[in-house]
Amino acid sequence: MEPAAPPPPGPAAPAAAAPGSAGLVCAQGRNLRAVLCQRCGSRVLLPGAATFARRELLLPAMRKKAAAAAGGGGDVLREHWLVRDMFSFENVGFTRDVGNVKFLVCADCEAGPIGWHCLDDKDSFYVALERVAHE
């Protein structure tokens, strides 16, 4: 099994906020609060840096960076922060290529993966809401 399915044709469209994301998304669909690493509290994104999007992505189970790239079980996650410019991140690291995908991890503690980036789409970085904290 591949660690992540290839993206469907075309970019994911921003979606209306789901009940689980209440209080996190503004009327324009952007993140109202800062996005933090669940493990160490390091700031990953500033408020307003990402757009809420729905897309089914398979992410490996949360582990340190080296173990994340090795594969194994995972979770299908559907709610993400979509970041269009990698320089919008305050603090993020990337795993080695796993097929045509790089997984996003916390640059401080290397916990992750917290997100997903397909090498075929240079302008789409997904951070799973379930894998981060908000302040």
Side-chain angles (χ1 to χ4, degrees), residues 24 32-36 41 43 45-47 133-135:
L24 299 177
L32 281 171
R33 299 161 62 187
V35 176
L36 311 174
R43 188 170 299 219
L45 290 166
L46 293 173
H134 298 85
E135 87 172 348

Side-chain angles (χ1 to χ4, degrees), residues 6-13 55 121 126:
R55 181 170 182 183
D121 184 358
Y126 294 89

Side-chain angles (χ1 to χ4, degrees), residues 36-42 62-64 109-112 131:
L36 311 174
C37 173
Q38 286 180 341
R39 183 171 180 213
C40 72
S42 182
M62 288 279 287
R63 299 185 184 110
K64 284 199 171 189
C109 70
E110 296 187 344
R131 299 277 179 101

Side-chain angles (χ1 to χ4, degrees), residues 62-124:
M62 288 279 287
R63 299 185 184 110
K64 284 199 171 189
K65 182 170 68 172
D75 304 307
V76 175
L77 302 171
R78 292 173 179 82
E79 294 183 340
H80 307 276
W81 293 120
L82 173 59
V83 178
R84 292 293 186 182
D85 180 359
M86 69 183 261
F87 297 107
S88 296
F89 288 103
E90 294 296 304
N91 181 25
V92 76
F94 296 88
T95 64
R96 292 186 180 139
D97 296 1
V98 180
N100 67 339
V101 171
K102 285 185 181 274
F103 294 106
L104 283 61
V105 298
C106 174
D108 283 343
C109 70
E110 296 187 344
I114 61 171
W116 185 90
H117 170 65
C118 180
L119 298 173
D120 296 334
D121 184 358
K122 302 290 185 199
D123 299 324
S124 295

Side-chain angles (χ1 to χ4, degrees), residues 1-24:
M1 173 184 269
E2 290 290 325
S21 59
L24 299 177

